[in-house]
Structure formats: structure tokens, C-alpha cells
Amino acid sequence: MLEPSLLFSSVREVGENEPSERAQAELGRLLAAAGGYRVLASDGTHLGWLDHVRYERHADHPDEVVVRSRHLLALRRRVFSFSAVAEVKRGERTVVLRGTRAG
């Protein structure tokens, strides 16, 4: 019989702020279909609209999300890491980013 430490050697604990791999994959799936959704900071500040997502290193979720906004007459794009995505609210067509500011 294998020792308990060897049985669960591939299982890692997930911290409170770190989503599980399954949750990351689900969030990635929701983001892939969220083009045009409104993007909000965690405090409710409007940041812009989801322009697109970028896949480079991961297949199950994007590496970055690109948010577009208008400032005066110029179109501006900001790039955020996938880890900044707190949730995707399909019913409200909204993406919420954690730890971001409107500036």
C-alpha cells in the first residue's frame, strides 16, 4: 500500500483567493463568449467593454483580457491579466475585475 503522502502528491491546496483549475476553466469559457460585455472594477467603477481575450500559454483559460474604452475622442485599450478576473455575470453581461482602478 502507498503511503498517504504519495497518494495525494499531485493534489494541491487552493488558497481562498486562488480559483481551482475547474473554476479557472469555467471562467475562461465564460470569458470566451463575453465579447462586448461591460467591464467593472471590484468597486463598481466602469472600466470599459471587453474587446477580446488572448490565449498564449494556457489552453483552458485566456492569459489576458483586453478592455476598450473611450477617452474624449480616442479609443483606448487596456490589458489585464486573467488573474484579475473575479467573475463573469452572464445575466448582466458584465465582467468584474478585482484589484483594479479606473485610472
Side-chain angles (χ1 to χ4, degrees):
M1 183 161 159
L2 294 174
E3 293 181 32
S5 62
L6 295 176
L7 286 174
F8 300 103
S9 62
S10 65
V11 176
R12 63 182 176 92
E13 288 188 29
V14 176
E16 186 175 314
N17 293 328
E18 182 183 348
S20 69
E21 289 179 17
R22 180 177 288 172
Q24 282 185 334
E26 177 63 14
L27 195 56
R29 185 186 70 74
L30 291 171
L31 276 172
Y37 280 24
R38 184 178 169 148
V39 179
L40 304 175
S42 55
D43 66 359
T45 304
H46 176 75
L47 298 175
W49 294 268
L50 182 66
D51 191 63
H52 64 278
V53 294
R54 292 183 185 157
Y55 290 85
E56 292 178 11
R57 296 184 320 250
H58 302 96
D60 62 338
H61 63 79
D63 297 291
E64 299 173 327
V65 295
V66 179
V67 176
R68 72 178 185 280
S69 61
R70 288 209 178 270
H71 289 278
L72 298 173
L73 299 176
L75 180 64
R76 178 180 176 193
R77 285 191 171 85
R78 295 174 64 188
V79 178
F80 297 93
S81 169
F82 173 73
S83 62
V85 178
E87 64 181 314
V88 176
K89 299 177 179 181
R90 285 179 27 186
E92 298 174 27
R93 296 183 48 84
T94 303
V95 176
V96 179
L97 302 182
R98 67 174 68 84
T100 56
R101 292 183 294 171

XYZ file of all heavy atoms in Angstrom:
811
model
N 0.848 -1.191 0.000
C 0.000 0.000 0.000
C 0.886 1.244 0.000
O 1.896 1.293 0.673
C -0.890 -0.011 1.234
C -1.832 1.125 1.267
S -3.167 0.752 2.389
C -3.724 2.361 2.703
N 0.483 2.274 -0.755
C 1.251 3.502 -0.841
C 1.051 4.343 0.410
O -0.009 4.327 1.031
C 0.813 4.314 -2.051
C 1.088 3.697 -3.412
C 0.458 4.570 -4.487
C 2.575 3.586 -3.649
N 2.074 5.072 0.757
C 1.957 5.987 1.885
C 1.008 7.121 1.528
O 0.947 7.528 0.369
C 3.328 6.555 2.227
C 4.284 5.513 2.756
C 5.618 6.141 3.097
O 5.632 7.330 3.495
O 6.621 5.451 2.980
N 0.260 7.653 2.490
C -0.704 8.721 2.196
C -0.085 9.912 1.489
O -0.701 10.519 0.635
C -1.245 9.120 3.569
C -1.041 7.914 4.418
C 0.194 7.235 3.889
N 1.144 10.269 1.818
C 1.753 11.431 1.181
C 1.961 11.193 -0.317
O 1.975 12.120 -1.094
C 3.080 11.783 1.847
O 3.980 10.697 1.697
N 2.141 9.935 -0.714
C 2.322 9.633 -2.124
C 0.994 9.551 -2.868
O 0.918 9.857 -4.048
C 3.078 8.322 -2.300
C 4.517 8.323 -1.783
C 5.120 6.937 -1.934
C 5.344 9.343 -2.519
N -0.043 9.149 -2.167
C -1.356 9.037 -2.801
C -1.874 10.381 -3.288
O -2.518 10.476 -4.318
C -2.378 8.439 -1.830
C -2.257 6.947 -1.548
C -3.237 6.552 -0.456
C -2.541 6.162 -2.812
N -1.600 11.422 -2.543
C -2.154 12.741 -2.850
C -1.074 13.733 -3.248
O -1.252 14.927 -3.131
C -2.939 13.275 -1.646
C -4.077 12.379 -1.267
C -3.992 11.537 -0.180
C -5.226 12.357 -2.033
C -5.039 10.698 0.153
C -6.276 11.522 -1.706
C -6.175 10.689 -0.612
N 0.018 13.246 -3.769
C 1.121 14.135 -4.098
C 0.779 15.106 -5.226
O 1.339 16.176 -5.308
C 2.366 13.336 -4.470
O 2.095 12.555 -5.609
N -0.154 14.756 -6.111
C -0.485 15.654 -7.210
C -1.608 16.622 -6.858
O -1.933 17.508 -7.630
C -0.895 14.849 -8.450
O -2.078 14.147 -8.175
N -2.199 16.468 -5.690
C -3.278 17.351 -5.255
C -2.660 18.515 -4.501
O -1.847 18.330 -3.622
C -4.277 16.598 -4.350
C -5.341 17.548 -3.832
C -4.902 15.444 -5.092
N -3.048 19.731 -4.891
C -2.534 20.884 -4.177
C -3.692 21.641 -3.557
O -4.806 21.630 -4.071
C -1.731 21.794 -5.107
C -2.528 22.386 -6.220
C -1.610 23.232 -7.103
N -2.347 23.731 -8.227
C -2.964 24.906 -8.252
N -2.906 25.706 -7.235
N -3.632 25.284 -9.319
N -3.412 22.285 -2.456
C -4.451 23.072 -1.816
C -4.657 24.353 -2.588
O -3.722 24.934 -3.122
C -4.052 23.408 -0.380
C -4.122 22.215 0.541
C -3.908 22.616 1.978
O -4.245 23.756 2.330
O -3.421 21.780 2.731
N -5.888 24.788 -2.653
C -6.225 26.022 -3.341
C -6.504 27.062 -2.281
O -7.321 26.851 -1.393
C -7.455 25.824 -4.254
C -7.860 27.133 -4.886
C -7.156 24.786 -5.314
N -5.791 28.194 -2.374
C -5.999 29.270 -1.416
C -7.360 29.910 -1.597
O -8.041 29.693 -2.605
N -7.730 30.722 -0.651
C -9.046 31.359 -0.687
C -9.221 32.240 -1.921
O -10.281 32.302 -2.515
C -9.223 32.201 0.580
C -10.595 32.802 0.726
C -10.737 33.520 2.035
O -10.336 32.977 3.060
O -11.272 34.653 2.002
N -8.150 32.931 -2.341
C -8.246 33.837 -3.485
C -7.812 33.190 -4.792
O -7.818 33.828 -5.821
C -7.400 35.087 -3.235
C -7.968 35.919 -2.115
O -9.166 35.958 -1.911
N -7.104 36.564 -1.363
N -7.416 31.931 -4.753
C -6.942 31.241 -5.949
C -8.000 30.256 -6.423
O -8.311 29.297 -5.734
C -5.645 30.503 -5.621
C -5.039 29.795 -6.795
C -3.794 29.028 -6.403
O -3.280 29.222 -5.307
O -3.364 28.214 -7.225
N -8.567 30.486 -7.603
C -9.608 29.569 -8.071
C -9.033 28.204 -8.435
O -7.873 28.082 -8.814
C -10.173 30.271 -9.302
C -9.155 31.263 -9.712
C -8.321 31.577 -8.515
N -9.842 27.177 -8.299
C -9.423 25.835 -8.680
C -9.251 25.779 -10.196
O -9.694 26.663 -10.925
C -10.473 24.817 -8.242
O -11.648 24.982 -9.019
N -8.600 24.718 -10.682
C -8.420 24.572 -12.124
C -9.765 24.476 -12.834
O -9.936 25.021 -13.923
C -7.560 23.348 -12.408
C -6.111 23.553 -12.009
C -5.256 22.327 -12.257
O -5.676 21.435 -13.016
O -4.162 22.275 -11.689
N -10.719 23.802 -12.224
C -12.052 23.686 -12.821
C -12.734 25.056 -12.883
O -13.346 25.405 -13.889
C -12.910 22.714 -12.018
C -14.308 22.562 -12.611
C -15.117 21.560 -11.866
N -14.585 20.237 -12.190
C -14.965 19.129 -11.596
N -15.868 19.164 -10.656
N -14.450 17.977 -11.941
N -12.596 25.840 -11.808
C -13.194 27.178 -11.790
C -12.517 28.079 -12.815
O -13.179 28.867 -13.489
C -13.090 27.789 -10.393
N -11.194 27.958 -12.968
C -10.478 28.738 -13.972
C -10.962 28.385 -15.379
O -11.168 29.268 -16.212
C -8.976 28.484 -13.895
C -8.287 29.205 -12.785
C -6.782 28.997 -12.849
O -6.293 28.005 -13.371
N -6.054 29.940 -12.311
N -11.131 27.105 -15.636
C -11.596 26.667 -16.952
C -13.002 27.198 -17.231
O -13.291 27.648 -18.348
C -11.558 25.146 -17.057
N -13.875 27.157 -16.244
C -15.240 27.670 -16.414
C -15.232 29.176 -16.647
O -15.935 29.692 -17.513
C -16.094 27.328 -15.197
C -17.508 27.871 -15.241
C -18.358 27.315 -16.382
O -17.979 26.315 -17.023
O -19.425 27.900 -16.648
N -14.408 29.889 -15.890
C -14.292 31.330 -16.066
C -13.741 31.648 -17.460
O -14.215 32.565 -18.131
C -13.382 31.906 -14.980
C -13.390 33.401 -14.763
C -14.801 33.911 -14.473
C -12.458 33.759 -13.620
N -12.776 30.865 -17.919
C -12.233 31.042 -19.264
C -13.278 30.810 -20.336
O -13.351 31.542 -21.331
N -14.121 29.795 -20.140
C -15.194 29.504 -21.094
C -16.185 30.667 -21.157
O -16.611 31.086 -22.233
C -15.911 28.217 -20.684
C -16.978 27.757 -21.667
C -17.740 26.569 -21.149
N -18.612 26.904 -20.036
C -19.765 27.566 -20.126
N -20.199 27.980 -21.296
N -20.501 27.818 -19.070
N -16.536 31.199 -20.004
C -17.465 32.330 -19.964
C -16.860 33.571 -20.616
O -17.542 34.299 -21.344
C -17.862 32.641 -18.521
C -18.740 31.598 -17.836
C -18.876 31.905 -16.348
C -20.096 31.506 -18.492
N -15.568 33.805 -20.380
C -14.901 34.963 -20.975
C -14.829 34.871 -22.493
O -14.943 35.873 -23.192
C -13.483 35.104 -20.423
C -13.338 35.841 -19.105
C -11.910 35.722 -18.608
C -13.746 37.278 -19.240
N -14.614 33.664 -22.999
C -14.504 33.477 -24.449
C -15.778 33.915 -25.165
O -15.726 34.331 -26.321
C -14.188 32.018 -24.767
N -16.903 33.857 -24.471
C -18.189 34.237 -25.064
C -18.666 35.607 -24.583
O -19.818 35.964 -24.800
C -19.232 33.183 -24.717
N -17.782 36.374 -23.940
C -18.206 37.623 -23.298
C -17.781 38.879 -24.055
O -17.788 39.962 -23.488
C -17.671 37.665 -21.866
N -17.429 38.765 -25.313
C -17.047 39.942 -26.089
C -18.132 40.999 -26.053
O -19.309 40.698 -26.247
N -17.766 42.232 -25.762
C -18.729 43.324 -25.687
C -19.348 43.527 -24.320
O -20.059 44.514 -24.104
N -19.085 42.625 -23.382
C -19.635 42.792 -22.037
C -19.029 44.037 -21.388
O -17.883 44.405 -21.639
C -19.302 41.592 -21.147
C -20.187 40.385 -21.331
C -20.889 40.137 -22.490
C -20.288 39.442 -20.311
C -21.687 39.009 -22.636
C -21.072 38.315 -20.441
C -21.771 38.106 -21.601
O -22.547 36.984 -21.735
N -19.785 44.653 -20.517
C -19.318 45.788 -19.730
C -18.303 45.282 -18.709
O -18.499 44.219 -18.107
C -20.511 46.417 -19.032
C -20.209 47.640 -18.267
C -21.479 48.180 -17.664
N -21.095 49.219 -16.720
C -21.803 50.272 -16.450
N -22.971 50.421 -17.025
N -21.394 51.170 -15.608
N -17.228 46.017 -18.483
C -16.187 45.610 -17.528
C -16.181 46.603 -16.377
O -16.100 47.820 -16.579
C -14.797 45.548 -18.193
C -13.738 45.143 -17.171
C -14.812 44.573 -19.364
N -16.272 46.066 -15.159
C -16.302 46.875 -13.944
C -15.141 46.515 -13.031
O -14.723 45.353 -12.975
C -17.608 46.638 -13.176
C -18.922 46.875 -13.905
C -20.093 46.470 -13.020
C -19.046 48.327 -14.320
N -14.652 47.503 -12.290
C -13.705 47.237 -11.210
C -14.499 46.636 -10.056
O -15.727 46.720 -10.014
C -13.021 48.527 -10.778
N -13.808 46.042 -9.111
C -14.500 45.398 -7.987
C -15.317 46.394 -7.166
O -16.269 46.007 -6.495
C -13.509 44.653 -7.100
O -12.483 45.527 -6.675
N -14.971 47.694 -7.239
C -15.750 48.700 -6.511
C -16.938 49.221 -7.315
O -17.638 50.127 -6.895
C -14.851 49.861 -6.075
C -14.301 50.670 -7.242
O -14.597 50.341 -8.414
O -13.560 51.645 -6.977
N -17.151 48.667 -8.519
C -18.286 49.056 -9.347
C -17.977 50.120 -10.387
O -18.844 50.467 -11.190
N -16.755 50.632 -10.408
C -16.363 51.650 -11.389
C -16.335 51.046 -12.787
O -15.753 49.988 -13.001
C -14.955 52.205 -11.057
O -14.962 52.707 -9.728
C -14.563 53.299 -12.028
N -16.954 51.728 -13.738
C -16.975 51.271 -15.129
C -15.599 51.477 -15.752
O -15.070 52.593 -15.766
C -18.041 52.034 -15.916
C -18.076 51.691 -17.366
N -18.603 50.512 -17.828
C -17.645 52.362 -18.450
C -18.484 50.477 -19.146
N -17.903 51.591 -19.545
N -14.996 50.403 -16.271
C -13.675 50.474 -16.902
C -13.748 50.490 -18.417
O -12.841 50.971 -19.078
C -12.818 49.282 -16.460
C -12.517 49.174 -14.967
C -11.781 47.885 -14.668
C -11.712 50.382 -14.508
N -14.800 49.915 -18.988
C -14.932 49.852 -20.434
C -15.710 48.613 -20.837
O -16.573 48.140 -20.091
N -15.370 48.067 -22.025
C -16.052 46.888 -22.552
C -15.012 45.852 -22.941
O -13.929 46.191 -23.435
C -16.882 47.267 -23.775
C -18.005 48.189 -23.406
C -19.271 47.835 -23.071
C -17.945 49.609 -23.311
N -20.008 48.968 -22.773
C -19.210 50.068 -22.909
C -16.931 50.550 -23.524
C -19.506 51.406 -22.711
C -17.214 51.888 -23.318
C -18.501 52.302 -22.929
N -15.352 44.584 -22.772
C -14.428 43.520 -23.121
C -14.259 43.484 -24.632
O -15.213 43.251 -25.367
C -14.933 42.167 -22.612
C -13.995 40.994 -22.882
C -12.699 41.145 -22.100
C -14.662 39.689 -22.528
N -13.045 43.738 -25.097
C -12.752 43.737 -26.526
C -12.472 42.315 -26.997
O -13.109 41.837 -27.916
C -11.557 44.647 -26.814
C -11.372 44.902 -28.288
O -12.282 45.495 -28.896
O -10.323 44.490 -28.837
N -11.513 41.650 -26.353
C -11.200 40.262 -26.678
C -10.305 39.664 -25.587
O -9.868 40.370 -24.684
C -10.533 40.142 -28.056
C -9.196 40.810 -28.159
N -9.055 42.157 -28.384
C -7.947 40.310 -28.074
C -7.774 42.468 -28.442
N -7.070 41.360 -28.243
N -10.085 38.372 -25.685
C -9.194 37.669 -24.756
C -8.019 37.124 -25.561
O -8.130 36.879 -26.759
C -9.918 36.532 -24.005
C -10.984 37.090 -23.084
C -10.516 35.528 -24.963
N -6.877 36.972 -24.882
C -5.667 36.458 -25.536
C -5.245 35.148 -24.900
O -5.115 35.053 -23.684
C -4.515 37.448 -25.389
C -4.689 38.723 -26.130
C -3.457 39.582 -25.970
N -3.673 40.881 -26.597
C -3.011 41.964 -26.267
N -2.068 41.923 -25.350
N -3.269 43.095 -26.876
N -5.024 34.163 -25.755
C -4.512 32.866 -25.308
C -3.065 32.751 -25.774
O -2.797 32.912 -26.965
C -5.314 31.715 -25.924
C -6.714 31.590 -25.390
C -7.750 32.348 -25.921
C -7.002 30.710 -24.361
C -9.043 32.225 -25.435
C -8.289 30.573 -23.875
C -9.304 31.343 -24.413
O -10.578 31.224 -23.931
N -2.149 32.491 -24.860
C -0.756 32.288 -25.234
C -0.177 31.040 -24.577
O 0.370 30.188 -25.247
C 0.085 33.511 -24.885
C -0.273 34.719 -25.740
C 0.523 35.957 -25.375
O 1.501 35.854 -24.604
O 0.159 37.030 -25.860
N -0.284 30.936 -23.259
C 0.327 29.826 -22.530
C -0.662 28.755 -22.088
O -0.277 27.629 -21.864
C 1.060 30.352 -21.297
C 2.232 31.253 -21.632
C 2.981 31.663 -20.370
N 2.099 31.946 -19.270
C 1.873 33.158 -18.765
N 2.460 34.205 -19.268
N 1.073 33.325 -17.750
N -1.917 29.108 -21.927
C -2.902 28.171 -21.395
C -3.958 27.841 -22.449
O -4.339 28.706 -23.223
C -3.593 28.766 -20.163
C -2.644 29.122 -19.070
N -2.144 30.394 -18.911
C -2.083 28.375 -18.096
C -1.333 30.420 -17.881
N -1.266 29.212 -17.370
N -4.428 26.608 -22.427
C -5.487 26.212 -23.358
C -6.866 26.302 -22.716
O -7.860 26.483 -23.407
C -5.250 24.789 -23.848
N -6.933 26.191 -21.387
C -8.225 26.154 -20.708
C -8.732 27.526 -20.277
O -9.885 27.676 -19.914
C -8.168 25.218 -19.502
C -7.152 25.670 -18.448
O -6.231 26.433 -18.808
O -7.283 25.252 -17.289
N -7.877 28.531 -20.302
C -8.324 29.881 -19.966
C -7.380 30.885 -20.617
O -6.229 30.577 -20.903
C -8.403 30.100 -18.452
C -7.081 29.995 -17.742
N -6.160 31.020 -17.738
C -6.522 28.986 -17.046
C -5.106 30.654 -17.039
N -5.291 29.418 -16.614
N -7.866 32.099 -20.869
C -7.007 33.101 -21.503
C -5.917 33.584 -20.548
O -6.051 33.465 -19.329
C -7.974 34.238 -21.840
C -9.155 34.029 -20.983
C -9.217 32.579 -20.646
N -4.862 34.113 -21.111
C -3.791 34.703 -20.313
C -4.102 36.156 -19.971
O -3.732 36.641 -18.904
C -2.464 34.643 -21.079
C -2.039 33.217 -21.329
O -1.681 32.536 -20.362
O -2.091 32.779 -22.488
N -4.774 36.837 -20.894
C -5.069 38.252 -20.715
C -6.448 38.596 -21.270
O -6.954 37.916 -22.151
C -4.038 39.112 -21.462
C -2.628 38.919 -20.986
C -1.621 39.652 -21.843
O -1.846 39.785 -23.064
O -0.614 40.074 -21.279
N -7.019 39.659 -20.720
C -8.256 40.212 -21.253
C -7.965 41.647 -21.693
O -7.232 42.374 -21.023
C -9.421 40.171 -20.236
C -9.807 38.752 -19.914
C -9.086 40.907 -18.962
N -8.516 42.022 -22.835
C -8.296 43.366 -23.375
C -9.604 44.136 -23.257
O -10.648 43.692 -23.747
C -7.823 43.302 -24.842
C -7.612 44.713 -25.392
C -6.547 42.470 -24.951
N -9.530 45.293 -22.604
C -10.703 46.126 -22.340
C -10.561 47.417 -23.134
O -9.515 48.064 -23.111
C -10.804 46.441 -20.829
C -11.969 47.382 -20.544
C -10.926 45.153 -20.029
N -11.618 47.777 -23.857
C -11.588 49.023 -24.622
C -12.473 50.060 -23.939
O -13.495 49.738 -23.335
C -12.018 48.800 -26.063
C -13.485 48.534 -26.250
C -13.861 48.367 -27.726
N -15.279 48.236 -27.885
C -15.979 47.119 -27.686
N -15.370 46.022 -27.318
N -17.282 47.114 -27.854
N -12.048 51.314 -24.062
C -12.833 52.418 -23.515
C -12.575 53.650 -24.360
O -11.641 53.694 -25.147
C -12.460 52.675 -22.051
O -11.092 53.030 -21.949
N -13.420 54.632 -24.195
C -13.263 55.899 -24.927
C -12.893 56.990 -23.929
O -13.518 57.135 -22.894
C -14.551 56.278 -25.631
C -14.857 55.420 -26.808
C -15.650 56.228 -27.830
N -15.920 55.436 -29.000
C -15.106 55.392 -30.052
N -14.007 56.071 -30.061
N -15.413 54.650 -31.089
N -11.862 57.743 -24.290
C -11.469 58.922 -23.518
C -11.428 60.076 -24.506
O -10.620 60.073 -25.435
C -10.108 58.714 -22.850
C -10.185 57.736 -21.731
N -10.603 58.084 -20.472
C -9.926 56.415 -21.674
C -10.590 57.015 -19.697
N -10.182 55.992 -20.402
N -12.303 61.026 -24.304
C -12.514 62.109 -25.259
C -12.851 61.494 -26.612
O -13.853 60.825 -26.733
C -11.303 63.035 -25.307
C -10.988 63.750 -23.997
C -9.677 64.511 -24.112
C -12.107 64.689 -23.614
N -12.034 61.656 -27.609
C -12.325 61.077 -28.918
C -11.450 59.871 -29.237
O -11.578 59.271 -30.304
C -12.159 62.136 -30.012
C -13.090 63.337 -29.891
C -12.781 64.362 -30.962
C -14.542 62.910 -29.960
N -10.554 59.532 -28.335
C -9.606 58.439 -28.586
C -10.126 57.115 -28.023
O -10.727 57.068 -26.955
C -8.263 58.762 -27.961
N -9.869 56.057 -28.766
C -10.183 54.711 -28.304
C -8.961 54.196 -27.547
O -7.840 54.291 -28.033
C -10.488 53.790 -29.483
C -10.842 52.355 -29.143
C -12.145 52.310 -28.351
C -10.983 51.543 -30.416
N -9.177 53.693 -26.365
C -8.084 53.223 -25.514
C -8.286 51.755 -25.209
O -9.407 51.320 -24.945
C -8.078 54.038 -24.236
C -7.050 53.646 -23.229
C -7.168 54.544 -22.020
N -6.240 54.132 -20.985
C -6.278 54.553 -19.754
N -7.199 55.437 -19.389
N -5.412 54.139 -18.872
N -7.194 50.991 -25.223
C -7.257 49.571 -24.852
C -6.324 49.337 -23.680
O -5.195 49.794 -23.687
C -6.860 48.692 -26.028
C -7.933 48.611 -27.079
C -7.639 47.528 -28.106
N -8.767 47.321 -28.980
C -9.006 48.030 -30.066
N -8.199 48.993 -30.419
N -10.057 47.777 -30.808
N -6.821 48.621 -22.683
C -6.013 48.239 -21.521
C -5.997 46.727 -21.432
O -7.007 46.071 -21.712
C -6.603 48.836 -20.239
C -6.542 50.347 -20.224
C -7.247 50.945 -19.032
N -6.603 50.578 -17.780
C -7.118 50.853 -16.582
N -8.259 51.484 -16.479
N -6.486 50.501 -15.496
N -4.874 46.187 -21.017
C -4.707 44.748 -20.914
C -4.614 44.376 -19.433
O -3.856 44.983 -18.677
C -3.435 44.281 -21.661
C -3.249 42.786 -21.507
C -3.524 44.663 -23.132
N -5.394 43.368 -19.038
C -5.386 42.870 -17.666
C -5.082 41.383 -17.675
O -5.492 40.659 -18.584
C -6.757 43.087 -16.998
C -7.140 44.533 -16.864
C -7.907 45.146 -17.841
C -6.737 45.273 -15.772
C -8.261 46.485 -17.737
C -7.083 46.611 -15.651
C -7.853 47.210 -16.630
N -4.397 40.926 -16.674
C -4.099 39.500 -16.520
C -5.393 38.743 -16.225
O -6.316 39.282 -15.599
C -3.119 39.325 -15.363
O -2.995 37.971 -15.032
N -5.440 37.489 -16.648
C -6.604 36.651 -16.353
C -6.851 36.578 -14.845
O -7.989 36.514 -14.403
C -6.389 35.243 -16.924
C -7.450 34.261 -16.526
C -8.710 34.323 -17.084
C -7.185 33.283 -15.581
C -9.706 33.422 -16.710
C -8.163 32.383 -15.210
C -9.428 32.451 -15.773
N -5.785 36.621 -14.051
C -5.937 36.530 -12.597
C -6.703 37.707 -12.016
O -7.193 37.636 -10.891
C -4.570 36.401 -11.919
O -3.790 37.548 -12.180
N -6.854 38.806 -12.772
C -7.619 39.959 -12.303
C -9.128 39.747 -12.442
O -9.914 40.499 -11.869
C -7.207 41.209 -13.063
N -9.545 38.729 -13.189
C -10.972 38.497 -13.415
C -11.586 37.832 -12.179
O -11.196 36.726 -11.796
C -11.209 37.620 -14.665
C -12.701 37.351 -14.852
C -10.622 38.279 -15.896
N -12.511 38.525 -11.557
C -13.186 37.993 -10.371
C -14.386 37.141 -10.762
O -14.598 36.065 -10.216
C -13.629 39.129 -9.452
N -15.180 37.637 -11.718
C -16.359 36.878 -12.152
C -16.907 37.413 -13.462
O -16.629 38.536 -13.861
C -17.453 36.903 -11.077
C -18.019 38.265 -10.774
C -19.079 38.229 -9.681
O -19.965 37.355 -9.726
O -19.007 39.085 -8.796
N -17.685 36.557 -14.110
C -18.419 36.921 -15.323
C -19.892 36.723 -15.004
O -20.309 35.629 -14.635
C -17.999 36.046 -16.529
C -18.845 36.386 -17.748
C -16.514 36.201 -16.827
N -20.664 37.800 -15.128
C -22.101 37.747 -14.856
C -22.835 37.741 -16.190
O -23.060 38.796 -16.785
C -22.526 38.946 -14.018
C -21.840 39.023 -12.671
C -22.271 40.274 -11.932
C -21.610 40.365 -10.579
N -22.033 41.574 -9.844
N -23.180 36.540 -16.653
C -23.824 36.424 -17.969
C -25.145 37.160 -18.023
O -25.444 37.832 -19.009
C -24.032 34.951 -18.313
C -22.759 34.278 -18.712
C -22.896 32.832 -19.043
N -24.210 32.439 -19.518
C -24.563 31.205 -19.755
N -23.719 30.226 -19.556
N -25.765 30.911 -20.185
N -25.958 37.027 -17.001
C -27.273 37.664 -16.996
C -27.199 39.174 -17.091
O -28.067 39.817 -17.682
N -26.145 39.759 -16.529
C -25.963 41.207 -16.555
C -25.012 41.649 -17.655
O -24.771 42.847 -17.812
C -25.421 41.680 -15.203
C -26.344 41.404 -14.047
C -25.716 41.760 -12.712
O -24.844 42.655 -12.675
O -26.091 41.143 -11.712
N -24.458 40.681 -18.397
C -23.470 40.951 -19.448
C -22.345 41.831 -18.911
O -22.006 42.871 -19.466
C -24.133 41.590 -20.672
C -25.141 40.678 -21.354
C -25.754 41.253 -22.607
N -24.818 41.825 -23.546
C -24.118 41.132 -24.477
N -24.259 39.835 -24.566
N -23.301 41.752 -25.306
N -21.773 41.369 -17.779
C -20.753 42.131 -17.062
C -19.596 41.243 -16.654
O -19.797 40.090 -16.268
C -21.376 42.760 -15.790
O -22.481 43.575 -16.161
C -20.388 43.594 -15.022
N -18.381 41.797 -16.741
C -17.171 41.164 -16.224
C -16.663 42.027 -15.081
O -16.573 43.249 -15.227
C -16.082 41.043 -17.317
C -14.792 40.468 -16.746
C -16.571 40.200 -18.477
N -16.348 41.406 -13.949
C -15.841 42.148 -12.791
C -14.369 41.804 -12.598
O -14.009 40.621 -12.541
C -16.649 41.804 -11.508
C -16.097 42.563 -10.313
C -18.125 42.108 -11.711
N -13.535 42.851 -12.486
C -12.107 42.666 -12.247
C -11.779 43.036 -10.818
O -12.260 44.038 -10.295
C -11.284 43.550 -13.204
C -11.507 43.336 -14.699
C -10.584 44.266 -15.482
C -11.266 41.890 -15.090
N -10.930 42.236 -10.187
C -10.522 42.520 -8.815
C -9.232 43.331 -8.829
O -8.430 43.214 -9.747
C -10.342 41.238 -8.011
C -9.195 40.367 -8.459
C -8.960 39.174 -7.534
N -9.975 38.173 -7.538
C -10.072 37.176 -8.424
N -9.192 37.066 -9.377
N -11.044 36.297 -8.346
N -9.054 44.151 -7.813
C -7.803 44.884 -7.629
C -7.470 45.854 -8.735
O -6.311 46.087 -9.044
N -8.471 46.458 -9.364
C -8.218 47.413 -10.447
C -8.822 48.752 -10.090
O -9.721 48.855 -9.257
C -8.831 46.929 -11.770
O -10.225 46.706 -11.575
C -8.179 45.666 -12.249
N -8.302 49.780 -10.749
C -8.834 51.136 -10.564
C -9.124 51.736 -11.937
O -8.537 51.324 -12.931
C -7.824 52.008 -9.836
C -7.607 51.572 -8.400
C -6.678 52.475 -7.696
N -5.359 52.343 -8.320
C -4.340 53.115 -8.054
N -4.459 54.093 -7.199
N -3.168 52.939 -8.636
N -9.990 52.687 -11.957
C -10.387 53.300 -13.222
C -9.252 54.101 -13.860
O -9.231 54.289 -15.054
C -11.603 54.184 -13.026
N -8.286 54.583 -13.091
C -7.205 55.444 -13.580
C -6.352 54.846 -14.577
O -6.244 54.761 -15.675
